Amino acid sequence: MAGGGRRRGQAGGRHRLGPHRGDRGKNDPATPYEWAPKLTAQLKTATLVTYEGEGHGAYLSGSQCVAKLVDSYLLDGKLPRRGATCPAA
């Protein structure tokens, strides 16, 4: 690889993450919600969106609240406010 063997997005062998958001449902059977705050804290620049509904995949749950927050991040780079919560759809 050119540039000293490092890939783009790496610094000193570690990946750099810009601000990012995660969305987790309180009742997600695949990825327990309890993991979400811990992961968010470890990432340091992450913002957690809590979805109060059921199932895995909050973005496709039908929640307009979740869709608006995720779309705003994906399309405009705008992070949700810390502690953002969306009601069940």
Side-chain angles (χ1 to χ4, degrees), residues 4-59:
R6 291 191 185 140
R7 292 184 179 170
R8 192 170 172 206
Q10 289 183 327
R14 297 183 63 177
H15 290 281
R16 290 179 301 183
L17 290 176
H20 99 231
R21 55 105 229 131
D23 53 288
R24 286 290 179 264
K26 282 274 190 146
N27 299 304
D28 183 338
T31 52
Y33 180 81
E34 293 76 28
W35 298 351
K38 294 174 188 173
L39 177 61
T40 301
Q42 289 175 349
L43 294 175
K44 298 192 185 346
T45 60
T47 300
L48 175 64
V49 174
T50 299
Y51 172 61
E52 298 288 344
E54 303 284 330
H56 183 70
Y59 184 65

